[in-house]
Amino acid sequence: MKQLGVVLKSKNKMNKTAIILGASGLTGGILLQKLIEDSRYSTIKLFSRTRIEGLPNKVIQFIGDLVDFEQFSADFIADEVYCCIGTTAKKTPDKKLYKKIDYGIPVAAAKLAKENDIPTFLVISAMGANKASSVFYNRTKGEMEQDVLQQGIMNTSILRPSLIGGKRNERRVLEKIGIVVFKIIQPLFIGPLKKYKIINAESIAQAMLNLANNTSNKEVIITSNDIIQLAKNN
């Protein structure tokens, strides 16, 4: 498995179907809008707990509890899966429930993608993901990565962004403070430290779209600074 080194070659396929998990979140919402505007996609399937209003006819919504993912098996058919699922310790303080979301949903989706012969799977992880970490958050992300990769989906991309910047609908006071501090010290992040710079959700969404529409036939892990570069390859 490679970490970095993705050579993009356009697929130029039309009338595609994309699945998004986490379309109500910051990155997932931006990605949804990009897919709606992209003529290569005729159908976009959203799997979520709540309905998003005001979407065009090319978007089909499947509503249910994502923790019970098998209920969606008959409808989980597409060319690509974009997994933007993620919660926070503040929103989900119960560690068992946290793991069901951040680990359980991406892994269940990857297993279903493999069963249904979906060739492309992209998932947002986090910088510091490490299955051997003593930090619960990092360990959960690392275990998720490992079990997603074990499915052997032809094109699997794991994105490890640093702190994600962008306008959220929900209040995250501590995160906002962290972003302000990071912006102040951004000039210090040079050389090997570049991967720790704040990354905009827009860049993550664009990088995912670019990766899905270019051939690689590889399993890749992409760190934050490389996500930014991939986002520029429009």
Side-chain angles (χ1 to χ4, degrees):
M1 178 184 57
K2 286 197 172 184
Q3 186 165 343
L4 180 68
V6 183
V7 178
L8 300 183
K9 297 179 181 179
S10 179
K11 292 178 182 175
N12 292 320
K13 185 177 178 181
M14 304 297 288
N15 297 318
K16 295 200 294 179
T17 296
I19 287 173
I20 304 180
L21 307 176
S24 61
L26 176 60
T27 305
I30 294 171
L31 176 62
L32 171 59
Q33 191 57 44
K34 288 180 177 292
L35 289 170
I36 288 172
E37 296 170 359
D38 196 319
S39 61
R40 293 171 293 192
Y41 295 86
S42 58
T43 305
I44 304 163
K45 296 181 179 181
L46 308 184
F47 292 84
S48 59
R49 290 185 301 168
T50 56
R51 183 172 298 277
I52 301 174
E53 301 299 332
L55 296 178
N57 292 334
K58 71 189 286 188
V59 181
I60 304 171
Q61 301 189 61
F62 300 89
I63 308 304
D65 188 354
L66 297 189
V67 173
D68 180 21
F69 214 87
E70 282 300 315
Q71 66 181 299
F72 299 117
S73 58
D75 298 305
F76 206 79
I77 307 293
D79 296 286
E80 303 154 7
V81 176
Y82 298 86
C83 187
C84 306
I85 287 288
T87 186
T88 64
K90 184 177 180 180
K91 280 182 67 176
T92 314
D94 184 320
K95 287 188 175 181
K96 287 185 178 179
L97 180 57
Y98 184 101
K99 189 161 186 176
K100 283 182 179 179
I101 296 170
D102 267 42
Y103 166 87
I105 294 174
V107 172
K111 288 179 178 178
L112 203 50
K114 182 64 175 180
E115 289 175 15
N116 292 347
D117 296 319
I118 300 175
T120 299
F121 190 91
L122 305 99
V123 60
I124 299 175
S125 182
M127 182 174 292
N130 183 347
K131 64 181 181 180
S133 176
S134 60
V135 178
F136 174 75
Y137 178 82
N138 291 347
R139 184 170 68 252
T140 299
K141 290 293 188 183
E143 290 171 350
M144 179 274 289
E145 291 184 359
Q146 172 185 258
D147 288 351
V148 165
L149 290 170
Q150 280 184 350
Q151 305 315 309
I153 298 169
M154 185 188 303
N155 297 301
T156 302
S157 297
I158 294 175
L159 290 81
R160 289 181 178 172
S162 60
L163 189 60
I164 301 173
K167 188 175 181 181
R168 300 181 186 271
N169 293 325
E170 57 186 313
R171 292 186 67 189
R172 295 186 181 181
V173 177
L174 291 177
E175 186 173 291
K176 286 182 178 179
I177 293 171
I179 288 174
V180 170
V181 172
F182 263 67
K183 283 183 177 179
I184 293 171
I185 62 175
Q186 286 293 287
L188 301 178
F189 293 126
I190 58 176
L193 297 178
K194 285 174 65 177
K195 64 182 180 180
Y196 295 104
K197 284 187 175 183
I198 294 171
I199 183 168
N200 289 325
E202 164 78 24
S203 294
I204 301 170
Q206 188 62 55
M208 294 179 87
L209 188 57
N210 290 348
L211 283 162
N213 282 281
N214 292 275
T215 57
S216 61
N217 294 335
K218 295 175 183 176
E219 297 172 338
V220 292
I221 293 177
I222 306 155
T223 54
S224 214
N225 53 317
D226 295 313
I227 293 171
I228 293 170
Q229 291 303 312
L230 286 170
K232 296 176 181 179
N233 292 331
N234 284 359

